[in-house]
Amino acid sequence: MDFKHPWLPLTEDVKQEMLKSIGRNNLDELFSNIPEKFRLNRDLDIADSHTEIEVARRMQELAEKNEPADSGRVFLGDGLGMHYIPSATKSLAGRSEFVTAYTSYQPEISQGMLQTLFEYQSLMAELLGIDVVNSSMYDMASALAEAILMSVRVKKKRNLVLVPGTISPVHWRVVKTYTEPLGIDIQEIDYERKTGQMNLGDLESRLSENVAAVYLENPSYLGFIEVGVDRINELVHEANALLIAGVDIMSMGIMRPPGDYGADIVVAEGQGLGSPMSYGGPLLGVFGCIDDMKLIRQLPGRLVGMTRTSDEPFKRGFVLTLSPREQHIRREKATSNICSNQALIAVTAAIDTSLLGPAGFREIGETITYKSHYAANRLNALSDVHAPSIGDAFWKEFVVSFKGGVSAQSVHEGLLERGIHGGKILTSEFPDLGESMLISVTEIHTKDAIDELVNAINQIVNDGGGK
Amino acid sequence: MTERSEYRQARWDVPLIFEKSRAGTTSHQYPEVEDEIRKTVGALDSLIPKAMQREKEPEIPEVSELQVIRHFTRLSQMNFSVSTGTYPLGSCTMKYNPVINDWAANLDGFAWLHPSQDVATSQGALELMWELEQWLTEITGMDAVTLQPAAGAQGEYTGVMLIREYHRCITHECEQRNEMLIPDAAHGTNPASAAMAGYKVVVVPSSEDGLVNIDALKTAAGPKTAGLMLTNPNTIGVFEKDIEEIADIVHDAGGLLYYDGANLNAIMGITRPGDMGFDVVHMNLHKSFSTPHGGGGPGAGAVGVKDELTDFLPVPRIVRRSDGCFDWDYDYPRTIGKVHGYFGNFGMLVRAYAYIYSLGKRGIRTVAENAVLNANYVGHHVSAIPGFTMPYSKDAPRMHECVISAEDLLNETGVSAMNVAKRLLDFGVHAPTVYFPLIVPEALMIEPTETESKQELDVLISAFRDISEEAYTNPEKVKGAPYSTAVRHLDEYRAAHPKTLTLSWRMLQKQSDTEA
Ligand SMILES: Cc1ncc(COP(=O)(O)O)c(C=O)c1O
């Protein structure tokens, strides 16, 4: 009868001893408040129990049914960062003092987590050229949705937010889910078909007293660089709206930071900083704003602040701060419902950023520029293949389109047959781009792997290899 | 008698990593780009428009690899965790996080999988999620589960949106039903999530027993009611024995019943929300299913629903095709949409899967039994200590947690719940949750979880006893706590004051500039 398991320390006789000491006869008495009719009174229909060896085997078996991207032959980006993870990052972020703690409600005994998160906030702020970064959101998609909600709270009485016409379809859907119940209107700004650039005439004509914020992405979802940022900044602020910028954090070693071109609120996907893609989660919503109390008071999520001990000798210390914005105090009037966030992924990002340093960020930024351009360059040299098929300047990701009656799907399938995974197919979500896919190249892709990709596409498109 | 060791937390003076920087120091390098690539593409200036290039390097630190290792190792030593000691933080279920589960989530076959990969190359991930959905469906007694929400609060938001969509599409009373009923003892995320979905929050007061006040619920429920959000066992750790009547009142009024599953640990394998009449539940996989809390996250907030709500679940959903292969299906026109960029916190789902696979049906039930026994043991003994009481439903057993009030202690000695919490730290145990739920004055909410042994519980109880004695004999000692932590009491007022508010290195630099 006695069920034994390494995670459950109470033995039968200890249980009896405990029951006796609290004046109960059996375990059942402890469940007396549960009406008899709702008792399950049968075993759950789930797995049986397993020893650790068996668990390890089962997990390995499931993992082996996948073909992961560590092969260096997967050319997907689609909003995530496929990057080498330094061993030191992995080892430090795996320390169980970080992993098995919870939110630092007792700061005196949690300085390690609090200082690390303060450093995370500080490091992201430096990368983004902005003053304040919160201690994390779930992912970039929900961070963008919350940025939009925040802009509408800051710009009371305005409830229209403009987003680029090339926004990621996934970000669009999450934004729509979050804004629809509150009656916030989201409109897409037209873009130049050839260059992808935001159509400034269209932006100007949409700006009005009702616009709370304008969102711009750099690089855009389709990889091209938005170069008109200074003019967009002027137009948006002339209309007294807020500028929200979404950037690729890994590009910040070489690309202009959004704080530099007037962004009031910044969002980014931070997973690339030391965490694997993990089939899409856990990710890291980086969320920042300028040092303006009007904005800071409307920030969602947790903030760590620096302070000192109450008594002398004064010693530096860190605490969670400005919590009256949050749900546990303000309840339905809180700036957000977020409670648990992505703290450990933020810790990982802090460690990774410290390891990379400015030189590391420059190197990775440059390497990705060179390699992604090399791939586009070689693909564009093939007949019936065009890359980049929207925009000229791009970083990391670019659109490749196929002519001559070859579908992106058949290219994808032909690549899979050759043990290569091509980019995200865009054909249905961006029909203007024709038969196309979004290719992403990073430092993990060797020249050989890129050449193989190019040769395979050439075979498929031009030698009937796709049939 | 139980021995307790004298606790001393590591006390390193760790400067900010910025303050260790020395220009030119390298800690990580990338390989040189191949010459042929450079030759093919040309200079960087021709690739990134000058106007968009970064002029000034980011001012992040330049430190060596060993400096980074020491920095974060020392910081980690100044962080209390489940691995360090008992962490009875009520409502958070700080149980042991099995190491094997972390190992599994870090396998390349999971960790290096891109979510946009062809399903033909990610069948293992889909199978895992599909099976986990089945298990969670069975454990909660619901009909379908989505794994997309990234945490409990996002699960709540998803659940409330599902209720809203139900009223829009099924009852066609979405406009009229604009109120969400929420007990005053509820967690803050409940009202916050309801408000984000556009609901007006109507607070239902608690009865003298600390349960839902049935008369007040009857008055509140009506044609404007979209639903009731309930935690059961509730936040004082007592099972709502009138759950059937509660469910009937809400359903008769045309509303739906939402289950906040933060406290599911108490009832797994014993009773199921679905059988009690709940229409929507969220689970905190980082609580009941032991995925680590990570210092504040990531969690995972799976949501289960009854049949009438499945059409509205977030997309994509996992389907199993007739050939046994798994696939993603986006074709649900009545879906609420998406709440997460991809499929949720998959890495946490891997851990939850391994957790359930290890414990199995008998283990999962034993988890609940032992968690309940531990909480009752602690509640019984701590409430017998002078200064501490266990208010509400005195005779009802507690479930997975107990809420102790230090009100008497405060009145008799001037020592508050917060003082007790801080003094506990000196005994090498983490403090309970304090001042929640709001209906208990001077609340100390204790959730030991099933993974603590009796020896450790006895240490916890004796710490309460020692603190009580100290409060009656030397209250200033308790009020001055903690003594043995990395830092002493911190000035929170200064942290939040606009003049001294420092949220980043950048703000710190600006302040020292203006001071200079
Ligand atoms: C009762 C209750 N409900 C909801 C939540 C929210 O869960 P999460 O922190 O995962 O968003 C919590 C946890 O903090 C809780 O204790």
Side-chain angles (χ1 to χ4, degrees):
Chain A
M1 267 316 283
D2 194 4
F3 179 81
K4 288 182 184 296
H5 193 282
W7 308 337
L8 300 172
L10 303 189
T11 60
E12 271 318 304
D13 52 328
V14 167
K15 286 190 212 177
Q16 291 312 320
E17 196 185 319
M18 290 169 75
L19 282 165
K20 211 169 129 209
S21 90
I22 62 173
R24 303 279 182 183
N25 294 312
N26 51 50
L27 270 174
D28 232 29
E29 283 183 25
L30 299 180
F31 294 94
S32 60
N33 253 30
I34 302 180
E36 192 53 47
K37 69 184 286 193
F38 295 140
R39 305 287 183 94
L40 189 59
N41 291 328
R42 64 165 173 84
D43 279 345
L44 285 167
D45 182 16
I46 58 172
D48 286 316
S49 58
H50 294 89
T51 61
E52 182 167 320
I53 278 196
E54 294 166 309
V55 176
R57 276 192 204 125
R58 173 66 183 149
M59 301 314 288
Q60 200 108 44
E61 175 188 43
L62 285 166
E64 279 165 12
K65 290 186 190 180
N66 300 319
E67 290 165 42
D70 59 337
S71 61
R73 296 162 71 88
V74 176
F75 293 87
L76 284 164
D78 200 16
L80 298 188
M82 192 181 289
H83 300 291
Y84 177 75
I85 299 173
S87 331
T89 300
K90 229 178 170 166
S91 154
L92 289 168
R95 288 189 65 91
S96 75
E97 296 91 335
F98 290 135
V99 174
T100 72
Y102 191 40
T103 307
S104 309
Y105 293 126
Q106 298 295 338
E108 299 89 345
I109 207 162
S110 311
Q111 284 300 293
M113 180 53 70
L114 286 163
Q115 182 171 337
T116 304
L117 290 175
F118 180 83
E119 292 181 352
Y120 161 78
Q121 295 175 181
S122 301
L123 291 160
M124 295 305 111
E126 293 300 330
L127 287 173
L128 297 166
I130 201 116
D131 307 298
V132 180
V133 170
N134 77 9
S135 76
S136 73
M137 305 298 285
Y138 304 132
D139 63 354
M140 182 173 175
S142 69
L144 173 58
E146 292 259 24
I148 288 173
L149 300 184
M150 171 172 157
S151 71
V152 172
R153 288 194 300 274
V154 172
K155 296 286 175 189
K156 293 180 202 93
K157 302 202 179 96
R158 299 179 171 217
N159 81 334
L160 172 60
V161 173
L162 306 177
V163 304
T166 53
I167 188 173
S168 135
V170 159
H171 289 179
W172 170 258
R173 287 202 86 159
V174 174
V175 164
K176 290 297 276 184
T177 309
Y178 271 84
T179 52
E180 184 267 337
L182 301 178
I184 299 167
D185 192 9
I186 310 290
Q187 289 179 8
E188 288 181 88
I189 309 161
D190 203 6
Y191 59 97
E192 305 293 344
R193 299 293 128 162
K194 242 180 91 83
T195 62
Q197 301 295 305
M198 190 179 281
N199 181 325
L200 298 185
D202 190 49
L203 169 63
E204 248 186 298
S205 71
R206 286 175 191 272
L207 281 168
S208 70
E209 301 236 304
N210 197 26
V211 174
V214 173
Y215 174 56
L216 76 78
E217 275 182 329
N218 225 348
S220 73
Y221 173 67
L222 299 177
F224 60 81
I225 296 171
E226 185 76 60
V227 290
V229 290
D230 292 308
R231 183 65 190 139
I232 295 171
N233 173 26
E234 275 171 26
L235 290 172
V236 170
H237 286 107
E238 274 164 23
N240 202 14
L242 295 176
L243 181 61
I244 306 172
V247 299
D248 190 321
I249 200 96
M250 305 308 292
S251 72
M252 286 293 108
I254 59 162
M255 294 256 292
R256 245 176 106 186
D260 221 48
Y261 46 84
D264 303 287
I265 305 176
V266 181
V267 294
E269 179 48 64
Q271 163 270 328
L273 294 169
S275 294
M277 298 162 295
S278 198
Y279 206 46
L283 304 179
L284 171 60
V286 181
F287 192 112
C289 76
I290 53 172
D291 182 7
D292 174 344
M293 282 318 286
K294 265 211 320 279
L295 272 77
I296 294 174
R297 291 214 187 281
Q298 294 300 334
L299 263 182
R302 295 200 158 113
L303 286 166
V304 177
M306 181 187 272
T307 184
R308 64 183 190 195
T309 48
S310 307
D311 302 312
E312 292 186 71
F314 293 128
K315 231 188 121 192
R316 187 193 271 176
F318 302 86
V319 293
L320 292 171
T321 195
L322 299 184
S323 37
R325 298 166 298 114
E326 292 184 62
Q327 46 74 28
H328 61 283
I329 298 188
R330 195 58 63 81
R331 299 177 80 85
E332 66 268 26
K333 299 209 169 57
T335 55
S336 168
N337 66 342
I338 192 168
C339 177
S340 293
N341 51 25
Q342 304 286 111
L344 189 64
I345 314 303
V347 166
T348 310
I351 296 166
D352 202 60
T353 304
S354 305
L355 276 168
L356 261 55
F361 270 91
R362 193 183 52 246
E363 283 172 26
I364 196 172
E366 291 183 0
T367 303
I368 290 174
T369 312
Y370 286 126
K371 291 199 165 181
S372 55
H373 277 265
Y374 174 74
N377 205 306
R378 289 219 46 203
L379 284 167
N380 199 43
L382 306 177
S383 59
D384 284 336
V385 178
H386 193 29
S389 62
I390 185 166
D392 305 313
F394 65 88
W395 188 81
K396 188 174 98 175
E397 304 205 40
F398 60 89
V399 178
V400 55
S401 53
F402 311 104
K403 302 277 149 51
V406 181
S407 72
Q409 180 63 28
S410 67
V411 174
H412 166 73
E413 284 165 15
L415 288 173
L416 268 190
E417 278 168 26
R418 291 165 175 79
I420 300 174
H421 199 300
K424 167 100 196 266
I425 297 176
L426 297 171
T427 314
S428 63
E429 283 162 331
F430 291 90
D432 282 1
L433 297 172
E435 291 295 336
S436 59
M437 53 170 63
L438 185 61
I439 298 265
S440 172
V441 182
T442 72
E443 82 284 1
I444 71 155
H445 298 108
T446 59
K447 178 175 170 297
D448 287 350
I450 298 169
D451 289 341
E452 267 187 70
L453 169 76
V454 174
N455 294 339
I457 289 181
N458 189 29
Q459 277 178 13
I460 298 163
V461 175
N462 293 312
D463 300 340
K467 309 280 148 65
Chain B
M1 273 310 289
T2 34
E3 289 292 315
R4 61 157 224 267
S5 63
E6 198 161 315
Y7 176 67
R8 281 269 171 278
Q9 189 175 36
R11 199 175 280 180
W12 298 101
D13 271 318
V14 186
L16 290 173
I17 189 101
F18 293 86
E19 293 162 330
K20 294 178 180 162
S21 181
R22 174 81 199 227
T25 317
T26 300
S27 69
H28 187 76
Q29 294 175 306
Y30 292 95
E32 286 278 331
V33 174
E34 294 90 333
D35 274 348
E36 218 186 311
I37 291 187
R38 283 177 194 268
K39 261 187 244 140
T40 313
V41 300
L44 202 74
D45 275 353
S46 67
L47 306 174
I48 307 285
K50 198 87 188 115
M52 290 310 295
Q53 288 182 22
R54 186 160 193 144
E55 277 178 5
K56 223 166 127 265
E57 279 193 340
E59 287 177 44
I60 55 178
E62 296 174 78
V63 283
S64 75
E65 192 166 312
L66 178 56
Q67 283 177 306
V68 174
I69 297 276
R70 286 214 179 116
H71 181 80
F72 290 105
T73 299
R74 289 178 178 193
L75 286 178
S76 77
Q77 289 172 343
M78 297 197 289
N79 208 55
F80 196 85
S81 66
V82 174
S83 295
T84 320
T86 304
Y87 208 130
L89 192 67
S91 208
C92 300
T93 316
M94 301 300 290
K95 58 170 80 178
Y96 169 56
N97 308 129
V99 177
I100 176 85
N101 302 352
D102 287 336
W103 168 85
N106 282 308
L107 290 171
D108 285 342
F110 296 131
W112 271 82
L113 208 53
H114 192 292
S116 306
Q117 279 183 225
D118 195 298
V119 290
T121 66
S122 49
Q123 285 294 303
L126 282 155
E127 181 178 342
L128 181 148
M129 293 171 86
W130 190 83
E131 211 171 348
L132 181 60
E133 283 186 2
Q134 308 300 308
W135 293 343
L136 297 178
T137 300
E138 164 71 2
I139 291 170
T140 53
M142 306 305 280
D143 295 316
V145 161
T146 172
L147 303 170
Q148 196 174 110
Q154 205 178 36
E156 291 172 23
Y157 180 72
T158 304
V160 172
M161 290 291 282
L162 294 169
I163 292 176
R164 186 167 171 272
E165 216 53 34
Y166 171 85
H167 286 305
R168 196 213 307 268
C169 299
I170 310 281
T171 65
H172 303 290
E173 293 170 339
C174 185
E175 299 271 299
Q176 156 201 339
R177 294 194 179 269
N178 62 356
E179 293 180 353
M180 191 59 73
L181 310 184
I182 300 178
D184 56 1
H187 193 259
T189 48
N190 291 186
S193 301
M196 279 176 82
Y199 283 107
K200 185 174 158 234
V201 172
V202 175
V203 177
V204 182
S206 299
S207 70
E208 280 177 7
D209 292 328
L211 303 173
V212 171
N213 182 325
I214 300 287
D215 290 333
L217 178 63
K218 281 184 185 152
T219 314
K224 288 183 172 176
T225 303
L228 166 72
M229 296 180 82
L230 191 62
T231 311
N232 192 21
N234 64 20
T235 56
I236 61 163
V238 175
F239 192 89
E240 297 277 353
K241 58 183 172 23
D242 301 323
I243 183 61
E244 187 173 18
E245 191 179 357
I246 293 170
D248 287 346
I249 294 168
V250 175
H251 286 147
D252 290 348
L256 294 182
L257 205 55
Y258 182 94
Y259 183 87
D260 177 335
N263 297 346
L264 188 69
N265 208 46
I267 60 165
M268 296 190 297
I270 290 163
T271 179
R272 310 189 303 172
D275 299 338
M276 302 170 212
F278 285 93
D279 303 286
V280 195
V281 325
H282 90 256
M283 291 150 262
N284 293 59
L285 303 189
H286 44 301
K287 297 179 180 176
S288 323
F289 300 101
S290 186
T291 76
H293 282 68
V303 170
V305 294
K306 289 280 179 60
D307 271 334
E308 76 266 18
L309 293 169
T310 50
D311 274 2
F312 311 124
L313 286 171
V315 286
R317 291 177 51 198
I318 307 168
V319 289
R320 186 182 200 168
R321 290 195 307 245
S322 50
D323 62 0
C325 287
F326 298 93
D327 203 354
W328 288 114
D329 190 352
Y330 284 85
D331 192 17
Y332 291 88
R334 304 216 284 185
T335 174
I336 60 161
K338 281 182 75 61
V339 294
H340 187 272
Y342 295 95
F343 319 123
N345 280 341
F346 175 76
M348 301 299 122
L349 307 179
V350 175
R351 291 169 172 91
Y353 180 102
Y355 180 78
I356 298 174
Y357 192 76
S358 173
L359 282 159
K361 51 186 72 140
R362 286 203 54 205
I364 289 289
R365 185 190 159 98
T366 312
V367 161
E369 288 172 353
N370 293 8
V372 169
L373 177 56
N374 276 357
N376 279 284
Y377 183 74
V378 172
H380 178 91
H381 290 293
V382 172
S383 61
I385 296 170
F388 298 117
T389 57
M390 193 154 67
Y392 297 115
S393 296
K394 291 221 163 26
D395 300 323
R398 261 47 192 174
M399 300 298 284
H400 63 298
E401 67 195 1
C402 56
V403 182
I404 299 292
S405 172
E407 194 179 20
D408 290 353
L409 195 71
L410 179 64
N411 291 337
E412 289 160 22
T413 70
V415 167
S416 67
M418 186 59 92
N419 298 147
V420 173
K422 298 291 183 199
R423 188 70 179 119
L424 275 169
L425 306 180
D426 290 327
F427 290 75
V429 291
H430 197 276
T433 296
V434 287
Y435 300 101
F436 173 70
L438 308 175
I439 60 168
V440 176
E442 297 300 310
L444 289 155
M445 182 191 229
I446 307 174
E447 181 178 11
T449 84
E450 72 283 357
T451 56
E452 293 302 305
S453 68
K454 177 173 175 294
Q455 295 98 304
E456 275 133 337
L457 300 182
D458 288 337
V459 170
L460 176 65
I461 294 163
S462 80
F464 273 98
R465 197 171 292 126
D466 290 0
I467 293 169
S468 162
E469 260 175 50
E470 215 170 56
Y472 287 98
T473 53
N474 185 5
E476 293 312 309
K477 179 88 196 266
V478 185
K479 289 189 208 166
Y483 302 94
S484 55
T485 46
V487 289
R488 299 284 307 277
H489 190 266
L490 290 164
D491 189 344
E492 304 203 13
Y493 178 79
R494 184 185 170 87
H497 194 282
K499 282 223 171 78
T500 39
L501 180 73
T502 311
L503 301 171
S504 62
W505 169 251
R506 209 175 156 94
M507 283 173 84
L508 184 68
Q509 301 293 98
K510 272 204 264 179
Q511 283 165 10
S512 37
D513 285 355
T514 43
E515 273 162 34

